[in-house]
Amino acid sequence: MLTFISNSSHFTEVLSRVQSVKHTLWIGTADIKDLYVEVGKEKKPFLALLAQLIRRGVDIRLIHAKEPGPNFREDFDRYPVLYDRLERMLCPRVHFKMLVFDGKEVYVGSANLTGAGIGMKTDHKRNFEAGILTDEPEIVVQAMTQFDEVWIGKHCKTCKRRDFCPDPIV
């Protein structure tokens, strides 16, 4: 399966999959802001959904390029489980946007983890985004490899942005 995702489809096709993750969720984004999702008939902060997944035993990795804004941090503070069990790192060079669902399916596209990117903004306030959602094994493996190389610090020793990195791995 290979699906082209555009505009409001990001919310319905991509974020809806987050709710059904069983084991692992990897999220890579350049920008992250407070973002809301629909869970059943309720609108919740995305961080509430992540906290719920963690409590169910899902391992979550989040790579983002810069510190999120105050609204995100305020939401983050409401879910103490995120302090201890959300694996998170900053890498100022990350510009990819991807979500890997249980190592079986991947979204790769242009949408940041923001309301205007992938979230619940109305069509008149959202960005024009594009991406693919696929379970093609070769694409999933390539996306996971790229994510994992950043996660383990493969590029840290030779990175020319080290002065901007708050926590170099190597």
Side-chain angles (χ1 to χ4, degrees):
M1 174 251 345
L2 180 66
T3 306
F4 179 76
I5 307 291
S6 65
N7 298 336
S8 60
S9 298
H10 279 84
F11 180 72
T12 56
E13 295 296 323
V14 179
L15 286 186
S16 64
R17 279 174 169 68
V18 171
Q19 297 174 49
S20 58
V21 168
K22 302 280 187 251
H23 306 288
T24 59
L25 175 63
W26 291 3
I27 304 168
T29 185
D31 194 10
I32 186 166
K33 294 182 180 173
D34 60 325
L35 155 71
Y36 283 76
V37 295
E38 239 177 276
V39 179
K41 295 186 184 231
E42 249 184 296
K43 292 175 178 59
K44 292 183 171 183
F46 185 65
L47 290 171
L49 177 57
L50 295 185
Q52 179 183 346
L53 290 172
I54 288 170
R55 285 191 290 274
R56 281 196 337 225
V58 174
D59 293 320
I60 302 175
R61 289 181 173 179
L62 169 63
I63 301 175
H64 52 101
K66 61 183 182 177
E67 282 294 340
N71 292 339
F72 177 93
R73 289 194 304 271
E74 199 174 289
D75 274 347
F76 189 91
D77 291 344
R78 293 186 359 217
Y79 306 100
V81 71
L82 298 176
Y83 306 146
D84 300 324
R85 298 191 21 220
L86 174 66
E87 297 180 74
R88 185 171 76 101
M89 70 171 288
L90 266 76
C91 175
R93 289 185 57 202
V94 165
H95 202 261
F96 56 71
K97 290 82 173 177
M98 85 174 65
L99 287 95
V100 182
F101 309 99
D102 287 324
K104 295 177 182 173
E105 201 172 21
V106 65
Y107 161 79
V108 179
S110 63
N112 280 305
L113 214 62
T114 64
I118 203 167
M120 290 185 61
K121 295 270 184 180
T122 68
D123 285 341
H124 305 293
K125 292 184 177 181
R126 77 173 38 259
N127 298 336
F128 299 119
E129 306 285 2
I132 61 163
L133 180 64
T134 185
D135 62 0
E136 298 286 332
E138 186 177 327
I139 295 172
V140 173
V141 167
Q142 288 177 7
M144 289 180 71
T145 299
Q146 181 182 17
F147 187 104
D148 208 38
E149 286 176 351
V150 173
W151 188 262
I152 64 172
K154 179 181 179 183
H155 309 287
C156 288
K157 285 183 181 178
T158 58
C159 180
K160 302 293 184 197
R161 305 278 300 161
R162 210 168 164 86
D163 293 345
F164 301 97
C165 187
D167 192 19
I169 296 170
V170 187

